[in-house]
Amino acid sequence: MSHKRIPKRRAAMAAGSVVALGAAALLLPHANASQGGDGSGATAAAPRTLRAADASDLAARLPGLLGDAFAGSYYDAGKRQLVVNVVAGGDDDAAARAGKAGAAVREVDNSMAELSAGARTLKTEATIPGTSWAVDPRTNRILVTADRTVTGAAWDRLESTVESLGPDTATLRKSGGTFTTYVSGGDAVFGGGARCSLGFNVTAGDGSPAFLTAGHCGVAAAQWSDAQGGQPIATVDQALFPGRGDFALVTYDDPATEAPSEVNVGNRTVAITGAAEATVGQQVFRMGSTTGLADGQVLGLDATVNYPEGTVTGLIQTDVCAEPGDSGGSLFTRDGLAIGLTSGGSGDCTVGGETFFQPVTTALEAVGASLGDTGAAGGADAGGGDAVGGAGAAGGDEAGGAGAGTGEQAGGEDSGAGDQAGDGTGVADAGARHEDR
């Protein structure tokens, strides 16, 4: 595995080795991708053709526009449309309002209130380590997942609870892996025996340079270095895990540290232009030093995951692969928007699995930090069609070590981020590696 150090006075995220076998990562120009019909054609009839980023903006407006008739939304990447669920037999004007806003309308039976009530029942009756649940707007049901550790009486309890919600309210499925936080791996930040990934560089509320990473990394050690056994370069300011999120703000000890919101993807840096909410059905990309660049789709929002260390709520569920060493790493879109921080999951990049991410927007609001293109140098330019990434083999030395005081693994993961500079650039398919925790 190729290892790169994060320069002490240059805070660009270090990308780890990019897997070559069937998973080459490319940053290619996508001129058409920037030209979505999101209002550019006055004669376009609803539903509008939208880029994923514009669909996310519309999805954020729909709950307020539709009120109780709103039952979730998702992005249809094939048609490039945002589909909104509207409760049948409710507000007669809701479908018209949604259509006028540019969404494709679908009538469904389950309201968000009913699905939320089902999630509360699961929390009360089935908070079992190794389980997760999230609303899936594509099926208008709650997707409940149990990992391979949920057996015997625990499985019976979970199955009974799901059945009690009704046949059209929730779907239960079994995962072949085990839900854990992801630790150890390639290029990383190190602290107290833990090895984790730097997620995104940000500016703290007081103006000082800082970065976001996973909360389970932040509670594992107070100080972090850019080299194993090296001198600390940053100190944890805030960290949350478990609970209502999995995020940490780590401030650089040297206030003169240059920390642009950009990432190093191997042979160039890519500017991050801002943060955005995830949309179900949206294509997303994850960068990590263990597995390189991987892509997939958002499967659910506001996911609850019951890790061995405790329950974490408010996460993004995806089918993007990851492995130990990717924790804290960056989840982003083709348009250069920061979406999430790698939390944990099950499976691996060979057999697939589920991966959960902390929403960046929630983390930024909680810690009072900002992220954007402030002084980011060397972002991917729209004309550059050269492949990025290259062929490092996955693997490498893993740093074990238990996270201090948390009972969770502390092998921490390293983050890279392959975010795009949203002005005409795009990330090509990242290949066949699917995340496993």
Side-chain angles (χ1 to χ4, degrees):
M1 169 175 290
S2 162
H3 293 272
K4 303 179 183 67
R5 287 183 48 140
I6 302 172
K8 290 181 172 59
R9 293 186 59 84
R10 186 174 185 278
M13 288 172 282
S17 59
V18 178
V19 177
L21 301 177
L26 306 176
L27 281 174
L28 298 175
H30 280 248
N32 292 335
S34 305
Q35 319 238 347
D38 48 329
S40 57
T43 61
R48 288 160 50 196
T49 298
L50 299 168
R51 297 178 304 170
D54 298 315
S56 178
D57 292 340
L58 177 57
R61 299 199 308 270
L62 286 173
L65 181 66
L66 303 183
D68 292 341
F70 175 77
S73 63
Y74 63 94
Y75 184 60
D76 185 331
K79 295 181 179 179
R80 297 179 67 195
Q81 295 174 351
L82 183 74
V83 181
V84 60
N85 294 333
V86 175
V87 179
D91 184 344
D92 293 335
D93 296 327
R97 293 198 301 274
K100 185 176 180 180
V105 180
R106 185 179 73 149
E107 286 195 346
V108 296
D109 293 327
N110 294 321
S111 68
M112 287 303 296
E114 290 168 330
L115 295 173
S116 296
R120 289 194 297 272
T121 298
L122 287 164
K123 178 180 179 180
T124 301
E125 305 293 337
T127 297
I128 301 166
T131 62
S132 72
W133 51 83
V135 171
D136 178 5
R138 288 174 293 190
T139 63
N140 190 227
R141 296 182 179 183
I142 303 168
L143 175 62
V144 183
T145 306
D147 73 15
R148 64 186 178 189
T149 68
V150 182
T151 59
W155 171 262
D156 292 342
R157 175 179 156 199
L158 178 64
E159 187 175 40
S160 175
T161 303
V162 170
E163 290 176 352
S164 74
L165 301 178
D168 298 322
T169 302
T171 302
L172 175 61
R173 68 185 185 89
K174 191 83 168 176
S175 170
T178 302
F179 289 151
T180 80
T181 52
Y182 290 134
V183 292
S184 83
D187 299 341
V189 288
F190 303 84
R195 184 175 189 165
C196 285
S197 298
L198 187 158
F200 294 101
N201 284 317
V202 299
T203 301
D206 62 359
S208 60
F211 64 84
L212 293 176
T213 189
H216 63 268
C217 300
V219 299
Q223 293 185 302
W224 292 82
S225 171
D226 60 355
Q228 192 165 20
Q231 290 297 311
I233 63 167
T235 302
V236 174
D237 181 79
Q238 302 175 54
L240 177 63
F241 178 86
R244 294 181 138 183
D246 183 4
F247 57 86
L249 176 70
V250 187
T251 56
Y252 289 99
D253 295 336
D254 182 353
T257 297
E258 297 176 7
S261 296
E262 62 182 24
V263 299
N264 185 334
V265 294
N267 64 354
R268 72 170 103 176
T269 56
V270 178
I272 304 234
T273 59
E277 301 284 350
T279 303
V280 171
Q282 176 182 32
Q283 184 184 34
V284 285
F285 299 83
R286 177 201 52 74
M287 192 70 187
S289 61
T290 300
T291 55
L293 186 65
D295 74 324
Q297 284 192 354
V298 175
L299 301 180
L301 305 178
D302 197 19
T304 295
V305 185
N306 295 300
Y307 292 123
E309 301 80 22
T311 299
V312 179
T313 61
L315 300 182
I316 302 165
Q317 183 171 354
T318 77
D319 62 3
V320 184
C321 81
E323 296 183 1
D326 292 327
S327 282
S330 314
L331 186 74
F332 54 92
T333 71
R334 182 182 299 279
D335 299 314
L337 297 174
I339 298 294
L341 307 167
T342 307
S343 174
S346 70
D348 59 32
C349 285
T350 299
V351 301
E354 302 78 28
T355 301
F356 300 93
F357 295 84
Q358 164 66 47
V360 167
T361 52
T362 305
L364 289 171
E365 182 178 2
V367 301
S370 60
L371 179 153
D373 54 1
T374 53
D381 54 277
D386 292 339
V388 140
D397 42 316
E398 304 201 347
T406 68
E408 63 185 68
Q409 292 174 294
E413 45 200 49
D414 107 70
S415 90
D419 225 322
Q420 307 268 61
D423 185 317
T425 60
V427 182
D429 289 343
R433 301 207 60 157
H434 283 41
E435 173 171 17
D436 181 31
R437 304 258 178 316

